[in-house]
Amino acid sequence: MNLADTARPATRPSGRVAGWVRPKTVFLAAVLVVLAVYTEMAFALEWRTQAGRIGPGFFPRVVGIAGVALTLWGLVAAIRSPRDDEVVALEDEVGEADLGKHPRLLAIMVLAAGVFAATLISLGAIISSALFLMVMLSLLNRGRHVVNAVIAIGIPLSMYLLLQTLLNAGLPEGILPRF
Amino acid sequence: MDTFDNLANGIVAVATPMNLLLLLAGVMLGMIVGVMPGLGPSAGLAILLPLTFTLDPTGAVVMLAAVYYGAMYGGTITSVLINTPGESATVASTFDGYPLAKQGRAGPALVMAAIGSFVAGTIGAVLISVASPMTASLAATFGPPELFLVVILGLLTLIVIIGGNRLLGALSALIGFAIATVGIDIGTGQQRYTFGSVELINGIDFIPVAIGLFGVGEILHTLWRGGHLEKLAYFNVSARSRDFWPTGHDLRESAGPITRGSFLGFFVGATPGAGATVASLMSYNLERSVSKTPEKFGKGAMPGLTGPEAANNAASSGAMVPLLTLGIPGSASTAVLIGGFMMWGLQPGPLLMTQNPEFAWGLIASMFLGNIMLLLVNVFCIPAFASIARVPFRVLGPAIIVICVLGTFTVNGSIVEVAIMLGCGLLGFFMRRFGFSPAALVIALVLGPMAEESLRQTMIISGGSFGIFLDRGTSRALLVLMVLLLVLPLVTVLIKRAAARGIARYGAMRRRRARRSGGLPGGEHTPPATTDTVADSTDREPETERVDST
Amino acid sequence: MKHTRIALASAAALMMTLSACGGDSGGGSGGAYPSEDMDWTIAFGPGGGNDIMARTMVDILQRNDLYPENIRVENRDGGSGATGWGYLLNQAGEGYGISTTSGSFITTPLQADTGWEPTDFTPVGLLAADNALMIAAGDAEFQTYDEWVDYATGKGSVVVGGIGTVNVDYIIQQMVADAEGYEIEYVPYNDEGQMQTSLLSGAIDTMISNPGSIMGQIEAGQVTPLLFTGPERLEALPDVPTGEENGVSDLPSMPRGLILPPDAPQEAQDWWVETMQEVVETEEWQAYLDENFLLEDERWGEDFTTYLDETQTAFEEQLTELGAL
C-alpha cells in the first residue's frame, strides 16, 4: 500500500493531456442533465396561482431554462477551446509547488468520508471519526504511528466532550455508553 | 445627551466583577463554539441559551451578548483559516481572508478583523444610542417591496464576486437559485423538489452547503494537488511572532473600509430580513469599487476583509434597533434573543426601553463591553489560533473533515444534512477545479428564497402591478440608491482614468523639462518613478477590463 | 465561576448517567414506571413558543421533584416539527420519550408526507389552547373591529397577512372575511418580524399574531388588536371582542399538549396523565399561562386524541375549501 508515492507518476498525465473525454466536459454534461431534469420538473409546477399571481413554478422555470442555456453555452465553449480550463487551473496555482495530481487519494478520502457519515449514528461519533482519522492519517501522515494514534483518538474525544458532554448539542454515542 | 448618560449608566451597571467574568466566559465559549464549522452565532446562541437560564436576566444577557460576539468572531476565524464561513454574513470574509492566510498573513488578517469588529461594534453602540429613533422609523417602512429591493442590492454584488469567468460564475449562481427552490413553497404550501423527504420540506440550509463547498471542497482540492506532500506547513507562515501583527500599512489601508463598513452595516442591518449578509456583501462591493487597486481583491486585499467584517458586526448592532424599539427580531440571532427575553419574563416591544431601561441599556452596554473583551482575548489568542495554519495539511485536512461532519450534525442532528454537506464538498472540488464560483452559489442560495418570497408577496399586495415600487417612499429611495451603486464603479473608473491621465501628462512635462535642463538632479529621482508607475497602471487598466468582459 | 458550575453540572450528569446505565443492564422493565432518564424532544428551536412551554414544564417537574430520574431536554428542530416528532415516532413502544405539541403537529402532516399522523402517538393530554389576535397598525384608519369591517366591506377586497399558507392564520383570515362578506388577498409570511414591519409600513391591512408575542407592541400603541379568536375576551384586553360575539363561531386554536411515543406502555401513560394533572395545578403553571395569554383547556388521554382528530379533519376541510391543499 504505497499509495501516495505510486499515485504521483501514474496519474500525473491524466490531468494535463486532453484525453478522449475531458473532465470539464463530463462535469458540464452532468450539470446539464441535472438542470434538464430540474427544468422538466419545474414545468409540472404551476406558472401562476389561481388568483393570477406568480406561482410556485415561475422561479424554477426561469432558473432552469437559464441554467440549461448557460450550461449548453459552456459546453460548446469547452469543446471548442479546450485550453481554457488549463488557464484557470494555472492561474489558481501560481506560486504553488507542482506536486502532481492525486485522484486515487482523493477518491479514497471521499469514500472514507462517506463511510464515516454512514456509520456516524450506528457506531457513534467517537468511534466512527476515530476510524476515519486512523485510515486517512495512515495514508497521509506515514510512519508517525504514535502521533497519528493520539490525533485519531484525541480529536473525536475532545469534540465529543465539548459538544455533547458540555453543551448537550446532540452527538450520537453509538456503541459506547453516553457520557 | 440623555442617551449617552443611559449608555454610561448601563456600562457602569454591567461592569461588576461577576459580570466581567461571565463576559469573559461567554466570549471564550462563543469563540470555541463559533470555530466549529456549522455552529454560527444563531446556532451558538441557541445551544448556549439554556445555560443562561440559571442566571439572573442581566447576567444572562451579558453572557449572551458575549457569546454572540464570540461566535461571530469564531466564524471569522474559520473563514480566514479554513475558508469555511460559519454563517452567511461571513461569506464575504472568505473572499480575501483566506487568500491572506495562504500568503502567510493569517495573523494580521485575524487581528485586523478583530480591530474592524471592535471599531464597528463601538460605532454601532453609539449609533444605537443616537440614531435608534430615526432608524426604527426607517425600519418600520420596510414591507415586502423594500425587502425585495434590498435583496436585489445584495444580489448585484454577484457581478463583482463572479470575476474571472462570467459564464461559469452566472451558472454557479443559477445552481444556487435552483437549490434554493427546494422545500415547501411559502406562497402555496406546495412541495418543490423534496422527493417526499421530510428532511427537505424546510429546504436546504445554507450551513451544510457552505461548509461543503468551501471547507471540504478546499480540503479535497488541496489533497488532489498533493498538499499532503508539502514538506512545510499548509500555509507559508513565518515563525517570527512579529509577523502575527498587522503593519502600519494594513491599518492605514483599512481605516476607510472599516468606517464605511460600520455605517453601511448599521443601517442595512436594521432592516429585518436580509441584514448582515447583504450588508457585508455591499461593503465588499463598495470597497472594491472605490479601491485604487481593485485587481487585488480576491487575492488577499486587506480592505476586502476588514470592510465586510466591520459591516457584519455593525449590522448585528443595527439588528438590535428594531428589537429594542419595535420588538421585532431583525435576524435569526435576535429571534433567539427574543425567546430568551420571554423566558426571563421580559416583554419584548417598544416599551422595553422605557419599562426596563436598565435591562435594555445593559444589553447595549454588554454588546459594547463584549467587543472590548473580544479584542483583549484576541490579542492573546490570535497567535494560538493562527498557529493552526502551521499544522501540516496531511494532519489538518482529515481533522477538518471530522470537525465539519460533527459540527454539521450537531446543528439539527440530521444525517441528511451531513450527506448534503459531503456531496457539496465533492461539488465544491469540481467547481474549484473548473473555475466555477462557489461564493456565487451560496449567495444565490441565501438571497434567492428571500427574493422570490418578497417579490411574490409584493405582487399579491399590489395586485400584480410593478407600480408599487414607485408608490412607496422608501422603495423609491432604494431604487435611487441602486442606480447610484450601479453607476458608481463606472464613475470612479472614469475619474481615476482622468486623474491618471492628468498626472501622466504632468509627469511627461516634467520629464521633458528635466531632459531639457540636462539630466536629472539627484533629489529628483522619485517623481519620475511615481509617474511611471501611474502611467503603467493607466496602461494596464483597460487591459484588465478587456480580460474581465470576455 | 461559570466554568466550574458547568463542570460541576456535567460531572453530576456523568455520574447520573453512569448509575443509570448500571441500572439499565439489570433489567429496565422490572421496576416501577419512572426508572430511567426521560428523553424530552422539543421539535423546534430554542426560544420559540413550544420551547418555552416544554422548558417551563420540565422546570416545574424538577423543582417539585415529580420525576425521580433525570430529564434530558433536546431541541430536535427541522421540517416544521417533522424531524422532532419523527424522532419520537421511532421510539414506538417505549415509555421514556416525550414531546410537547403545537399547531404544526396538526398542519405539518397535512402538507407533507411525515410518516405519522397526530393520532398515532400515545396522548397524555391537551393542557392549553393558544388563541390568536387580529392586529391592525396603530396608525391605520380603522381602530376597532367594527371600523375594520366597514373599511373592508367598503373596499371590497383587502390585503391581509399571516404566517404560512397551510396554517390557522389563513383559516382565521378567510373565516372572518367570509362571515363579514369581504374578499381577501392573503400574503403568507415565513417570519413574524417581517410580517410586523410589513404591517407597520402599510403594505398589509391586518395580520394574525399570538397575544404573547405582540402584547408589547399593543401596550405601546404601535399596533391595535381588533379581534380575539378565543371563546371569551382576554383579561388583559377587555375591550377586544371575540369572534363568537361577532357571529364568527368555531375559530380554530393551536393545541398545546403532551404526547408519548406510539404504543407507549399503559403504566407510562397513566403516570404522565396523573403527574401532569398535578403540574397544571401549580402556581408556576398558572403564571406561565397568564404570561403567555394561554387559555386553560384540559383534555386527558383519549379525549386529547379525539380532539386532535376532530381539529385535523376540520383544518383539512377548511384548507381544501380554500384551495391551499
Side-chain angles (χ1 to χ4, degrees), chain A residues 27 38 42 53-54 56 63 70-71 74 92-93 96 99-102 105-106 113 117 141 151 167 169-170 172, chain B residues 48 167 171 174 181 185 190 192-193 220 224-226 228 394-395 409-410 415 422 429-430 432 434 456 459 463:
Chain A
F27 180 67
Y38 177 88
R53 306 281 167 261
I54 301 171
V63 167
L70 282 190
T71 319
D92 198 43
E93 286 166 30
E96 287 175 33
L99 295 162
K101 301 288 177 263
H102 305 268
L105 261 185
L106 178 71
N141 198 25
I151 296 170
L167 300 173
Chain B
L48 295 171
L167 172 70
L171 185 53
L174 284 171
T181 54
D185 165 42
Q190 224 170 319
R192 298 191 295 194
Y193 304 105
L220 296 179
W224 179 69
R225 289 198 305 95
H228 58 293
R394 54 182 186 268
V395 172
F409 185 82
T410 46
I415 202 76
L422 289 175
F429 165 75
F430 287 116
R432 274 217 55 178
F434 302 130
R456 289 172 67 179
M459 289 299 112

Side-chain angles (χ1 to χ4, degrees), chain A residues 50-51 53 164-166 168-171 173 177-179, chain C residues 6-7 10 14 17-18 21 72-74 76 185 322-323:
Chain A
Q50 286 157 342
R53 306 281 167 261
Q164 178 59 45
T165 311
L166 182 64
N168 192 24
L171 281 181
E173 66 269 19
R178 181 186 277 267
F179 59 92
Chain C
I6 293 167
S10 44
L14 185 67
T17 340
L18 285 180
C21 286
R72 288 196 315 266
V73 181
E74 212 159 301
R76 296 186 172 92
E185 290 279 3
L322 296 175

Side-chain angles (χ1 to χ4, degrees), chain A:
Chain A
M1 274 289 279
N2 201 5
L3 237 159
D5 291 345
T6 52
R8 201 210 293 211
T11 55
R12 188 170 192 158
S14 71
R16 289 288 144 102
V17 175
W20 18 281
V21 186
R22 295 202 0 277
K24 186 177 182 177
T25 332
V26 174
F27 180 67
L28 279 171
V31 171
L32 182 66
V33 170
V34 172
L35 282 175
V37 173
Y38 177 88
T39 314
E40 162 74 30
M41 289 174 71
F43 276 88
L45 297 162
E46 292 151 27
W47 173 259
R48 293 190 163 278
T49 60
Q50 286 157 342
R53 306 281 167 261
I54 301 171
F58 182 86
F59 271 67
R61 285 188 208 186
V62 172
V63 167
I65 291 171
V68 168
L70 282 190
T71 319
L72 277 174
W73 185 1
L75 257 177
V76 171
I79 291 168
R80 271 198 187 162
S81 49
R83 297 211 161 192
D84 275 6
D85 49 328
E86 297 280 308
V87 175
V88 170
L90 286 178
E91 220 171 64
D92 198 43
E93 286 166 30
V94 171
E96 287 175 33
D98 183 10
L99 295 162
K101 301 288 177 263
H102 305 268
R104 273 168 74 185
L105 261 185
L106 178 71
I108 291 177
M109 173 85 111
V110 171
L111 203 72
V115 173
F116 171 30
T119 57
L120 184 65
I121 289 179
S122 51
L123 291 181
I126 297 181
I127 293 185
S128 64
S129 29
L131 286 177
F132 171 79
L133 280 174
M134 272 177 210
V135 170
M136 286 321 297
L137 288 175
S138 69
L139 284 175
L140 298 179
N141 198 25
R142 281 148 184 281
R144 297 179 182 80
H145 301 299
V146 181
V147 178
N148 288 352
V150 170
I151 296 170
I153 294 169
I155 289 182
L157 199 65
S158 44
M159 286 289 287
Y160 187 87
L161 285 175
L162 171 73
L163 291 173
Q164 178 59 45
T165 311
L166 182 64
L167 300 173
N168 192 24
L171 281 181
E173 66 269 19
I175 48 181
L176 291 180
R178 181 186 277 267
F179 59 92

